Amino acid sequence: MELRRYRPADCPALAALFYDTVHTVCRRSYTAAQCAAWATGQVDLAAWDRSFRVHVTWVAQADGQIVGFGDIDPTGYLDRLYVHRDFQRRGIAGALCDALEAAVPARPVVTHASLTARPFFEARAYRVVRRQEVMRAGVLLANFVMEKP
């Protein structure tokens, strides 16, 4: 597995990985309706590309296949962190998170962690600030605002 910086040509593959991960890996913690509201399959690729280019964005590859990605903004907000369903528990999320946390000096690092991701972030010394519910397409989704000093 190798980490590299984001390239605009990656955007469609990252959107597909996001959709697939939400509907498979996150399905353990959320209902089908919640996953459908979270990842509709209708990503605004131009908006995602803009945010990936403004943020520090890392892409994980294995044998030429994109297997994960993550991004963090200059204020320390870790926005997205997703790993392909077939590459879970291989250290990819940890490697991405290490690179993202090191990329910006801002502290604390803050993320909005899903029910699925909460244990991963807790193991990395993030603490829950609060539980929240966000509305997506008329469906409530629980997550956690978490921070790492």
Side-chain angles (χ1 to χ4, degrees):
M1 192 268 309
E2 69 170 300
L3 293 184
R4 65 167 174 79
R5 285 304 194 80
Y6 169 78
R7 297 186 292 249
D10 297 329
C11 199
L14 301 190
L17 189 150
F18 161 73
Y19 179 88
D20 184 64
T21 302
V22 169
H23 286 270
T24 57
V25 176
C26 299
R27 184 66 175 87
R28 288 175 270 163
S29 306
Y30 295 91
T31 68
Q34 289 172 317
C35 290
W38 179 0
T40 65
Q42 304 297 319
V43 169
D44 180 341
L45 292 178
W48 268 39
D49 178 58
R50 280 191 303 277
S51 72
F52 286 143
R53 286 190 280 149
V54 171
H55 297 175
V56 174
T57 304
W58 288 100
V59 174
Q61 282 189 202
D63 298 321
Q65 176 186 357
I66 293 176
V67 297
F69 71 95
D71 64 305
I72 190 167
D73 78 11
T75 71
Y77 176 64
L78 198 159
D79 191 1
R80 290 162 284 215
L81 181 64
Y82 292 92
V83 174
H84 189 285
R85 66 180 168 174
D86 295 335
F87 291 84
Q88 297 284 309
R89 302 198 182 282
R90 296 188 190 184
I92 295 168
L96 285 164
C97 211
D98 286 344
L100 294 168
E101 291 169 359
V104 297
R107 291 297 179 265
V109 175
V110 176
T111 193
H112 293 187
S114 67
L115 298 170
T116 310
R118 178 183 173 178
F120 167 80
F121 284 107
E122 286 177 327
R124 294 187 59 83
Y126 284 71
R127 68 174 188 83
V128 173
V129 175
R130 71 179 178 280
R131 178 186 167 99
Q132 65 182 3
E133 290 188 339
V134 295
M135 184 72 72
R136 296 278 188 266
V139 178
L140 284 175
L141 300 166
N143 70 17
F144 300 91
V145 176
M146 300 183 76
E147 67 179 23
K148 181 178 185 176

